Amino acid sequence: MLVVAGTLTVIGWLMQHLADQGMIANGAYGIATLVAGLPIIFKAISALRARVMSIELLVSIALVGAVAILEFEEAAMVTFLFAFGNFLEQRTLQKTHQAIQNLTEMQPTTATMVVDGQYQEVEIDEVDEGAVLVVRVGDQVPVDGEIISGSAEVDEALITGESKLVDKTTGDQAYMGSIVENGQILVQAQKVGEDTTFGKIIELVEEAQDNQAPMSKFIDRFAKYYTPFVLVVAILILLFTKNLRLAITILVLACPGALVIGAPVSNVAGIGRGAKAGILIKGGDVIDQLAQVDTILFDKTGTVTEGRPTVKSIKEYQEDHWLALAADLEKQTNHPLARSIVEYYEKRGQKTTADFNLPITTIKGIGIQSEYQGQTIWIGSRRVLTENQIELTTQQARDLQVIESDGQSVVLMTVDQKLVLMMGLVDQVRKGVKETFEKLKQSGIDKQWMLTGDNSFIAEKIAKTIGINQVKAQMLPEEKALFLEQLQNDGRHVLFVGDGINDSPSIAKANVGIAMGNGTDVAIETSDVVLIDSDFSNIQNARRVAKATMRNTMQNVGIAIGTVALLLIGVAYGWVNMASGMLFHEISILVVIFNAMRLLRMKF
C-alpha cells in the first residue's frame, strides 16, 4: 500500500511539474490519496466510536477538504507522509510469540517409566506425580523430582544458567529440562507439566509478554488536545469569513507532517546508530523505556563472565608427561571443563595434544578412567579420591583447599591411586565490566544487583571483582523474576541483562531486557536489546543512544510544532497560501530528517 501510494505520488508530481500533464497527475494523486487515505479514515472512524479525537481525524478532514477544493497534490502528500510515519513505527515492532514456541519445543516429549521392573517409553502427558523414571546419558529429565537411585553429572544450564556440570546423587533434586551428561539416575516425579520449574519459565515469559502493552506515544497524547483545537479554529474561520478555501488551508497546513514523521525517523536513526555499534534495539518504545532506566539486574554466567571456563591453577606432583596425557584423554569428551584443559595444554605447550590412542570409560558422576602402560588413570572431580580411597598429602590437601576457597572448579588426575595433577578452572569476567558499571552508576542507574544460580562464595567473589556489592545467589528463574517484579512495584525502572533460557522470564518482564549476542535464541527473542558482539560496554552505549534519541525526538517535535505555528500566523496575515505552505511543510520535514540523521554520527 505504502509503495503504491508513494510511487503514484511521485508519478503525479513528475506529470504535473515536468510533463505538464495535469489530468494524469490528478489521476495519480487521486488514486494515491485513496490507497493511503482509506486506512487513515477508517482508523479515525474507529477512534470516534471510542470517543477519541485522534490525529487521524484531523488528517482525514484535511484530505477530504483538499480533495473538495481540488488540491489533489496536497491530499496525496498529506496521506503519504502520514502513512510513511506509521510504517516506520510498525517496522520496529518485533515478534515475541516465536520465543514461547521455541521454549515449548525444548520441553521433553517422552519419558522412560519404570513399571514392574521394566522400562516403558511413554508420552510426557502420561506421567503422573509419584511415577519412577529412568534418565540415562544424553536424556533430558522429564519432570521435577527426587533422585531415588544412582548418580550422574547433570547439565542444568537450561534452569540455572550455569555451564558447570552438577554432581547429582540419591536424595538430590532433578529439574525438568536438565540433561544427564554422565551416569544414570532414577527420579521419582514430584512435579509434572506446567508445575515444573521449566514449565514456570514458559509461563513467566508468556505472562510478561502479554503484559507488555505499548506505551502511549507522544503524538497520541498531543493529538488528544491538538486535533479538536485545530478543528474549532477552522470552523470559526469558516463561520466568520465564509471562506471555505481558507478553512481548508488551515486544516491542511495545521496537519503536522513533520510531527508525524519526526519521532519515527529519530527512532530509526537511533536504532541504526546502535546497530552500527553492535547494539540491536527493537523499537521506539524500547528507546523510551531505556532512557528512563534507574536499576540494573544481571545474570553472572555468560553475562558478566565469558561463559567458558579456563584453567587458572595447576599443581603437578610428578615431573612427567601427565598433563599431555590428561589433555589427550579429555579431548575425547565434550565436557566444558575437559575442553578447557585441552585448550590450556595446547596454548601452554604451543602444540596439539599427543595421540596416545587410549580408550576411555566414562564413570557416572565422577569422570573418566583409562589404562596407560599398565597403570590405572582417573580424571575427574573430587569423587575420584573417595572412589579410589586416595589420601592426600598435607601439601596436596592445602592446595585443594586454596583452589576451592578461590571459587575454582577442581579437576584431579590420579595414577595408580596417587594424585599427580590438580587443576582449578574459573570463568573469566568480561573485559570492561567494572568500568561499565561505574559509568552506569554515574549516569543515574544507582541500583545494581547480580542475580545468579551459582553458589554464594563464587558469586560474592565475582561481585567484588566487578565492583558490585548487591548480590543474590542460588536463585531459580522464578525467584529472579519475582525479585524484579518487587522492584518494579516499588517504582523502579528495571533493566535486566542475561544470556540463557533461564534468564528469559526476567528479560521479558523487565522494563528493558538486554540479551548477550552469544546467548540462547529464546533470550534473544524475548529481549528488547541484543548486544550482537556481546560487548558489555555496549550496555552503557545503548543507554546513551536512547537518551540522545529522546532528545532528538523532542527537538523534532519542537521543529514540527514551530513550523505549524509560523504557517498559521502566515496564513492569518496573508503571507502564506496553500502552495507555499506545503513547500514550508516539506522543508520542515527535511529539516526533521536531517536533524535525526545526526544520530548516525554519534560518537561513543
Side-chain angles (χ1 to χ4, degrees):
M1 178 195 75
L2 184 63
V3 174
V4 173
T7 302
L8 289 171
T9 300
V10 171
I11 291 173
W13 190 89
L14 292 174
M15 290 295 101
Q16 180 178 350
H17 296 284
L18 299 182
D20 197 23
Q21 297 290 326
M23 186 174 295
I24 297 176
N26 287 339
Y29 286 142
I31 297 173
T33 301
L34 191 65
V35 170
L38 282 178
I40 298 173
I41 293 173
F42 290 149
K43 193 170 182 179
I45 293 172
S46 297
L48 279 176
R49 287 175 178 169
R51 298 182 180 180
V52 176
M53 298 185 72
S54 66
I55 198 73
E56 284 82 8
L57 177 62
L58 181 59
V59 176
S60 299
I61 295 174
L63 72 89
V64 170
V67 171
I69 61 175
L70 305 180
E71 294 288 352
F72 298 111
E73 180 181 4
E74 284 74 9
M77 288 288 185
V78 168
T79 52
F80 172 73
L81 288 172
F82 192 84
F84 184 61
N86 283 337
F87 167 77
L88 289 175
E89 289 208 70
Q90 290 171 5
R91 287 286 293 176
T92 63
L93 299 177
Q94 301 296 313
K95 298 178 181 178
T96 57
H97 293 298
Q98 183 62 41
I100 298 175
Q101 181 180 339
N102 290 346
L103 271 176
T104 304
E105 290 174 353
M106 292 180 183
Q107 295 183 94
T109 56
T110 61
T112 304
M113 189 182 301
V114 181
V115 180
D116 297 329
Q118 301 295 317
Y119 293 165
Q120 293 183 7
E121 187 167 329
V122 298
E123 295 295 323
I124 194 67
D125 294 338
E126 299 178 29
V127 178
D128 297 320
E129 292 181 16
V132 176
L133 310 169
V134 61
V135 189
R136 293 164 287 200
V137 174
D139 290 345
Q140 276 186 301
V141 179
V143 296
D144 281 5
E146 181 182 353
I147 299 174
I148 60 174
S149 178
S151 61
E153 287 184 304
V154 180
D155 181 357
E156 292 185 336
L158 196 66
I159 306 301
T160 66
E162 299 302 320
S163 60
K164 184 171 62 177
L165 295 185
V166 180
D167 292 330
K168 296 282 186 176
T169 189
T170 303
D172 292 339
Q173 286 290 309
Y175 297 103
M176 177 184 182
S178 54
I179 302 172
V180 172
E181 295 288 350
N182 290 306
Q184 179 173 302
I185 51 177
L186 290 180
V187 179
Q188 186 169 36
Q190 295 174 330
K191 295 179 181 179
V192 297
E194 295 179 356
D195 294 330
T196 63
T197 300
F198 188 67
K200 288 178 181 177
I201 291 178
I202 297 175
E203 182 181 353
L204 285 168
V205 173
E206 210 162 20
E207 176 187 344
Q209 290 181 340
D210 288 343
N211 290 336
Q212 281 185 341
M215 63 169 288
S216 298
K217 300 290 190 296
F218 171 83
I219 193 169
D220 293 331
R221 298 195 298 269
F222 179 80
K224 180 180 179 180
Y225 303 101
Y226 182 76
T227 299
F229 172 76
V230 172
L231 287 174
V232 170
V233 170
I235 291 171
L236 289 175
I237 288 174
L238 179 61
L239 291 176
F240 284 101
T241 66
K242 309 299 181 182
N243 188 335
L244 177 62
R245 184 180 184 85
L246 178 60
I248 295 300
T249 299
I250 292 293
L251 286 176
V252 170
L253 297 186
C255 182
L259 180 63
V260 169
I261 200 173
V265 77
S266 292
N267 288 337
V268 169
I271 291 169
R273 179 62 188 96
K276 288 172 64 177
I279 306 165
L280 177 60
I281 303 173
K282 300 181 179 179
D285 286 344
V286 177
I287 289 175
D288 191 5
Q289 290 285 348
L290 186 54
Q292 300 179 55
V293 163
D294 57 20
T295 301
I296 180 171
L297 308 181
F298 55 95
D299 178 49
K300 178 180 71 68
T301 304
T303 302
V304 297
T305 66
E306 297 285 354
R308 187 175 62 185
T310 56
V311 175
K312 180 180 180 181
S313 305
I314 184 165
K315 302 292 183 181
E316 298 179 81
Y317 300 106
Q318 291 185 12
E319 295 183 2
D320 210 327
H321 55 284
W322 298 123
L323 179 59
L325 179 60
D328 180 70
L329 297 175
E330 293 282 36
K331 75 179 181 182
Q332 300 181 53
T333 77
N334 60 359
H335 194 292
L337 296 183
R339 290 194 296 271
S340 300
I341 292 169
V342 174
E343 291 176 4
Y344 171 80
Y345 171 76
E346 292 179 343
K347 288 180 181 178
R348 192 177 88 157
Q350 295 183 341
K351 57 184 178 181
T352 58
T353 57
D355 192 359
F356 290 91
N357 293 317
L358 298 177
I360 66 170
T361 302
T362 300
I363 309 301
K364 56 184 181 181
I366 300 176
I368 60 175
Q369 185 267 330
S370 185
E371 296 292 329
Y372 173 67
Q373 295 182 351
Q375 303 172 98
T376 302
I377 310 294
W378 286 80
I379 304 176
S381 65
R382 282 194 63 159
R383 293 188 179 183
V384 167
L385 303 178
T386 55
E387 182 73 15
N388 293 280
Q389 299 178 341
I390 298 173
E391 291 188 6
L392 302 181
T393 66
T394 302
Q395 182 61 48
Q396 290 171 343
R398 186 181 298 116
D399 291 341
L400 182 59
Q401 182 181 8
V402 169
I403 289 176
E404 289 187 328
S405 64
D406 190 42
Q408 301 176 40
S409 301
V410 177
V411 176
L412 306 174
M413 180 179 186
T414 66
V415 178
D416 279 349
Q417 295 186 309
K418 291 182 180 179
L419 181 64
V420 299
L421 195 62
M422 181 186 300
M423 291 169 282
L425 296 91
V426 294
D427 203 355
Q428 300 298 317
V429 174
R430 293 182 187 275
K431 293 181 180 178
V433 170
K434 186 174 183 179
E435 294 78 6
T436 297
F437 280 123
E438 184 59 35
K439 290 178 181 177
L440 289 170
K441 185 178 294 184
Q442 293 172 2
S443 70
I445 303 183
D446 55 345
K447 296 293 185 181
Q448 302 177 347
W449 289 85
M450 184 169 78
L451 312 181
T452 177
D454 209 342
N455 68 66
S456 299
F457 193 91
I458 294 177
E460 292 286 354
K461 184 174 179 60
I462 294 292
K464 185 177 180 181
T465 301
I466 62 178
I468 298 295
N469 55 17
Q470 298 181 104
V471 180
K472 284 186 173 291
Q474 296 174 311
M475 297 188 78
L476 291 174
E478 60 264 32
E479 293 171 334
K480 292 182 182 180
L482 180 61
F483 178 69
L484 186 154
E485 192 170 2
Q486 289 171 347
L487 291 173
Q488 289 176 321
N489 291 338
D490 291 338
R492 310 295 298 191
H493 287 78
V494 183
L495 166 65
F496 188 93
V497 188
D499 76 310
I501 292 174
N502 62 295
D503 299 324
S504 53
S506 297
I507 288 175
K509 189 178 284 288
N511 297 87
V512 178
I514 293 184
M516 309 303 281
N518 61 351
T520 62
D521 291 341
V522 173
I524 292 171
E525 286 286 346
T526 55
S527 66
D528 303 300
V529 181
V530 179
L531 306 185
I532 298 172
D533 55 2
S534 299
D535 184 347
F536 200 82
S537 65
N538 271 340
I539 296 174
Q540 168 66 1
N541 291 336
R543 192 158 185 269
R544 288 188 59 199
V545 167
K547 283 184 166 293
T549 301
M550 292 301 296
R551 288 195 300 269
N552 192 272
T553 299
M554 295 310 297
Q555 291 166 5
N556 283 348
V557 168
I559 293 170
I561 295 176
T563 299
V564 171
L566 290 174
L567 287 175
L568 293 179
I569 292 172
V571 170
Y573 284 93
W575 302 334
V576 177
N577 57 26
M578 186 176 291
S580 61
M582 283 303 298
L583 176 61
F584 281 113
H585 255 307
E586 292 169 12
I587 291 174
S588 72
I589 289 171
L590 288 175
V591 171
V592 161
I593 291 174
F594 286 134
N595 183 51
M597 291 304 104
R598 292 189 303 112
L599 292 170
L600 295 174
R601 299 191 296 274
M602 180 180 175
K603 303 292 185 182
F604 292 146

